[in-house]
Structures are given as structure tokens and as C-alpha cells.
Amino acid sequence: MDMKDEFLIQGLAGKRLLKGEIPIRGSKNAVLPAMASSFLFSGPILLHNVPHIEDVLRMSELMSSLGAKVSAKNDRTLLISPESAHAHILDTAIAKRFRASILLSGPLLSRFGKVVFPYPGGCVIGKRPIDLFLQGFKKMGARVLERDEHFTLFAPKGKLSGADIFFKIQSVTVSETFIMAAVLARGVTVLRNVALEPEVTALAQFLLSNGARIEGIGTTTLKITGGAPLSPKHSYDTIPDRIETGSFLLLGALSSDNLLISDCKPDHVRALIDVLRESGVIIKEGKDTLHVRGWKKANTPLSLQIKTHEYPGFPTDLQAPLVVFFTQCKGENLVFETIFEGRLSYIEDLKRMGADIVMWDTQRALIKGVTPLKGRELDGPDIRAGLAFLIAAIVARGSSIINNVYYIDRGYERIEERLSAVGVSIERRKKAGSA
Ligand code: EPU
């Protein structure tokens, strides 16, 4: 995969020609914290159903630079041995490439009593502050020094202390970081207003199954009694990626009467299934499959109002592909992005493709349909908008080029091969002029 790759897509001009099966891969946002949690263990841990994506490679590089051993056991299984870890300073260049690098702060600080990390990078979708991390660590007794956009944290006498922490916002990576920090802290930590996303619950269950003392899993209050490093007993099975599942459901709704999405967890995309059914999309649900069987468009125009929300509400990561879907719905539908203030910037490009979208303000968009889309050259601004552009290009008339393919590769495994298998005309090319 190359920073300079591009996708060339021939659109279907609204025809419903895709068919076949797309198996869902392991969740990016579940596997990254599980990898980071290896520092809580006294021996090697195994992770299964690991997706082949760029963010997993970045996390492996970052952990290897700290001295941990990360090796592939087979196609989708990683073995991570933390015993040889010796460093506590995150490599700036790698850490700045993905926001999830900050997940290492919790396990490193609680294991080694110190950690140094840069202001994390990642998708530009809003301000994305780290105040909740810093406040939480201070509550657990850490000293925090900031210099040249780098944070140095020390735990007195090398150990964090249990604390009662209320998070003013439900945050996914903050919840995961403090679950991990608390497992090795001295005494009891109570975390309040913990995020309920399946990725958070999966991490807590994994640690529990390996002896961590965590009460209240699946609720917003967790009580965690700290102790010694965990001895590995059970391996980690990465849950299916619910954002992939949802994106392919939306693609199926727009371009297929027979698309089977397999190896998924329908319950994790309940909010989207509901919207699609309300819009007339026919979805058959199995235990671990979702089968799109067509779209009966009603005569009455739709008038939905969708607000992105913490789980189990409508996920912000599916907001961009939902907007693409609404361009093909009769009616006027409103999308309100409430989690990240900068996550609607891609809409200008959709408008250039022919979408009729009125911005009420920077976070609310009214999408009027139906508007045919025309193919064009697009610059994916982040992982999720990048995939939304792919869907728009597939629906559009004519050909499109998508630049910044690295963003899509960060979160979706070999997307062009999987889309080709169900009938999409898509080709990965080296960008003209690149080495
Ligand atoms: N926030 C603060 N202060 C903090 C931390 C977060 O104000 O210290 C705010 C954020 O700015 C945001 C809100 O809290 O307004 C909630 O964001 P959250 O912290 O939950 O987001 P995150 O943990 O940084 C994870 C996913 C994102 C996903 C969000 C929301 C990972 C690695 N990333 O990010 O995924 O959009 O939760 O569900 O789990 C992606 O995969 O493309 C992606 C961006």
C-alpha cells in the first residue's frame, strides 16, 4: 500500500448490479486497544481475526519500537510478547499518524510508571482534544509535563493509584485507556460515564477473562480493582467491524438486490438497520449475516432526522455513507453530526458530484433527493469519508478517481479486491508521477 495510490472506479449510474457475498473483517477500533493491552500481561497474548489494515501495521511498528515482539502466527493471528519491552517513549513520527496511538498511554504508565507521547495525530475531523486523558491520569496521581507538543507523565513511586473518575463526555478511547490503566493501579478505580461501544465492552471482557477484576461491564459505571500483571489464559477474538458492516449495507441498499454481508453482528448496527428499513430497504437478518434483497421506495417522500450519537445511537463513523444514501432517497432528510464538529467537510465534494445538500450550520446538513451523481476526482479527507466517496463513485454515472487511498487502507482491508468480487469496477493504480 502506498501513500500515492489512487482508485479508478467506473460507476453504475444508479443500476443495481452488484451481487454476491462480502465477509466482514475484524474491527479496527477493537483490535487496536486489544494490542495495546498486551502491556498489562506477564506473558505473550494471542489475537485472532486481526484485519490486514494500515493502522494495525502502525500499532505493530509503534509497539515494536518500545521493545515488544509482535509477530504473525498465521494469516489473521498475532502473537504479542510484552516481556522484552524496555522503552516508554512513543515514536513521534509513528504516533502522529493515528490517534489510537494514545491508547498506549494507559498500559505503559500503569506498567512502567512513566510514558512520553506526542499530541496524537489521526483523521482531521474536529479538534479532538486530549483533556480527558490528562485529567484522568492526574486523578490517578500522575504528574503531567507538557513541552513542545509532547506529554511526559510520571506515576509517583512508579504506580498509579485508584481513583473515582467521572468523564464529562462518553469517549471510546478514553474509556479504554482508563480501563487498562486501572487494571494495574493500586487499589480500586471507579470509572463513570464509560462509553458503551462494543469495542470497549470487548476489551473489558477480554481483560476479565484473563483475571482482571472488573465489575459492571456493559454499563456506564465500572469498578476495577487493580493488581499484578495478568497471566495470559484466553486469547482475544476480534469482533466484526460494525462500521464495515454498515458501509456495505448502505452500498447494498444503493446498488444491489442480492448482497450478502457475512461474518457480522447485526445487533451492532441496529441503529442503521432501523433507518434503512424505514426507508424501504429490504434486509433479511441471520445470526451473523445481513442480506440486502432490494429497495421498495415509497411514494411519500422521506423526512428523517438522524443525529449521530454514542452507542447504541447512530454512529458518527457511518454518517458520511448515510449522507450518500440520502442523496438517492426521495425527500428531505436531515443529518446532525454531534460527536465531531469538523466531520461534514466532505459534503462540498458530494455537491460537486451533483448532490443537493443545504448546510444549516457546520454540523447539520439537509439532503434533498433524488439527485443523480456524476463521477469526478475526489480527495478522501478521512477514513470514513473516503469510503463514502467510494460508495458515491459506485452509484455515480461515469468514472471517478479517489486520491488519498492511504486513508481507506488505514481502516478497510483490500477494499478493491472485496468490492471487485461483488461486481464493482475498481482498480488501484500508482498515482501518475509518483515513484
Ligand atoms: N473528547 C474530548 N476530550 C478528550 C477525548 C475526547 O473532548 O480528551 C471528545 C472528542 O473530541 C469527541 C468526543 O469526545 O467530541 C467523543 O469522541 P471519542 O473520544 O469517543 O472518539 P475517539 O475515542 O477519539 C473513537 C474511534 C473513532 C470514532 C469515535 C466515536 C478509535 C480508535 N477511534 O475515537 O473512529 O469515530 O470513537 O465513535 O476507537 C475511525 O475509526 O475512523 C474513527 C475516527
Side-chain angles (χ1 to χ4, degrees):
M1 314 285 166
D2 195 290
M3 295 294 273
K4 298 279 169 35
D5 285 357
E6 65 181 17
F7 283 143
L8 173 67
I9 296 131
Q10 302 299 338
L12 298 173
K15 295 200 195 75
R16 309 177 63 77
L17 297 179
L18 303 186
K19 72 168 191 266
E21 178 177 343
I22 305 191
I24 298 303
R25 300 303 183 208
S27 157
K28 164 175 91 73
N29 291 344
V31 78
L32 295 174
M35 290 175 76
S37 80
S38 61
F39 288 112
L40 304 176
F41 287 82
S42 57
I45 62 166
L46 272 178
L47 286 79
H48 303 297
N49 196 27
V50 177
H52 297 293
I53 53 174
E54 291 291 325
D55 273 17
V56 166
L57 297 178
R58 294 297 85 72
M59 187 59 113
S60 304
E61 285 165 15
L62 194 52
M63 293 179 64
S64 306
S65 75
L66 296 167
K69 284 205 184 78
V70 184
S71 51
K73 286 309 279 178
N74 62 42
D75 193 30
R76 297 186 182 281
T77 299
L78 280 185
L79 179 80
I80 307 185
S81 309
E83 304 96 305
S84 48
H86 48 73
H88 63 279
I89 302 174
L90 296 194
D91 180 284
T92 303
I94 310 172
K96 278 195 158 293
R97 289 183 75 178
F98 67 125
R99 166 120 179 151
S101 58
I102 200 169
L103 285 164
L104 287 167
S105 62
L108 288 177
L109 185 58
S110 64
R111 182 74 182 259
F112 302 120
K114 52 193 173 180
V115 64
V116 180
F117 59 89
Y119 200 91
C123 290
V124 186
I125 52 182
K127 284 198 289 288
R128 307 191 86 180
I130 60 163
D131 54 323
L132 298 179
F133 292 90
L134 302 179
Q135 282 161 15
F137 285 132
K138 282 182 192 160
K139 275 215 145 181
M140 295 182 84
R143 280 184 53 218
V144 176
L145 305 172
E146 184 187 349
R147 204 185 191 186
D148 302 331
E149 293 224 322
H150 278 72
F151 299 88
T152 303
L153 277 62
F154 299 97
K157 298 194 189 126
K159 234 162 162 43
L160 289 172
S161 307
D164 193 318
I165 309 175
F166 174 82
F167 301 119
K168 66 174 189 274
I169 296 174
Q170 271 189 1
S171 156
V172 174
T173 45
V174 169
S175 302
E176 292 162 346
T177 300
F178 284 92
I179 290 171
M180 293 190 276
V183 164
L184 300 188
R186 188 183 299 120
V188 175
T189 299
V190 179
L191 304 176
R192 303 181 195 272
N193 205 22
V194 170
L196 296 175
E197 269 69 4
E199 297 78 22
V200 179
T201 306
L203 173 72
Q205 294 282 12
F206 170 58
L207 297 174
L208 179 82
S209 73
N210 282 292
R213 285 180 286 165
I214 308 177
E215 291 165 48
I217 296 177
T219 75
T220 54
T221 303
L222 297 180
K223 184 176 165 203
I224 301 169
T225 308
L230 308 172
S231 34
K233 293 189 196 74
H234 295 285
S235 53
Y236 181 81
D237 274 313
T238 314
I239 56 173
D241 196 304
R242 64 195 166 93
I243 306 307
E244 255 200 27
T245 307
S247 305
F248 293 144
L249 258 185
L250 285 157
L251 175 67
L254 290 168
S255 309
S256 175
D257 290 325
N258 187 3
L259 190 72
L260 183 69
I261 296 156
S262 53
D263 301 340
C264 64
K265 268 208 162 38
D267 267 345
H268 289 174
V269 283
R270 192 58 58 203
L272 174 65
I273 293 176
D274 234 57
V275 174
L276 289 177
R277 287 197 170 136
E278 210 174 329
S279 316
V281 179
I282 303 161
I283 302 170
K284 296 228 159 74
E285 199 177 314
K287 195 171 138 281
D288 58 1
T289 55
L290 286 163
H291 198 168
V292 181
R293 295 301 322 219
W295 186 3
K296 272 199 219 139
K297 292 198 197 185
N299 287 327
T300 345
L302 274 182
S303 170
L304 301 179
Q305 300 204 356
I306 307 299
K307 227 176 162 176
T308 60
H309 195 281
E310 292 82 5
Y311 190 83
F314 194 94
T316 169
D317 290 344
L318 287 175
Q319 174 262 105
L322 179 73
V323 167
V324 175
F325 173 73
F326 280 157
T327 66
Q328 304 307 303
C329 291
K330 192 164 143 193
E332 297 195 354
N333 296 294
L334 186 75
V335 170
F336 184 6
E337 171 58 56
T338 70
I339 309 287
F340 294 112
E341 69 283 359
R343 222 177 191 183
L344 292 180
S345 59
Y346 69 91
I347 280 184
E348 276 312 305
D349 277 302
L350 283 188
K351 283 164 78 171
R352 286 185 202 110
M353 293 179 82
D356 184 357
I357 302 176
V358 180
M359 297 300 297
W360 281 10
D361 54 36
T362 51
Q363 285 175 249
R364 286 181 301 169
L366 184 74
I367 305 106
K368 302 181 187 178
V370 178
T371 51
L373 301 178
K374 292 183 293 293
R376 58 175 290 127
E377 183 160 353
L378 299 154
D379 283 320
D382 69 77
I383 304 180
R384 310 306 177 184
L387 200 85
F389 283 168
L390 246 178
I391 297 175
I394 294 169
V395 172
R397 177 180 299 279
S399 55
S400 296
I401 290 175
I402 299 186
N403 298 313
N404 296 355
V405 162
Y406 176 77
Y407 276 124
I408 298 178
D409 293 333
R410 280 189 52 195
Y412 301 92
E413 176 178 322
R414 297 187 189 120
I415 193 80
E416 70 280 20
E417 289 172 23
R418 297 159 73 203
L419 291 177
S420 299
V422 295
V424 176
S425 165
I426 176 170
E427 190 192 330
R428 181 188 289 268
R429 305 193 302 196
K430 286 263 168 278
K431 184 122 190 96
S434 67

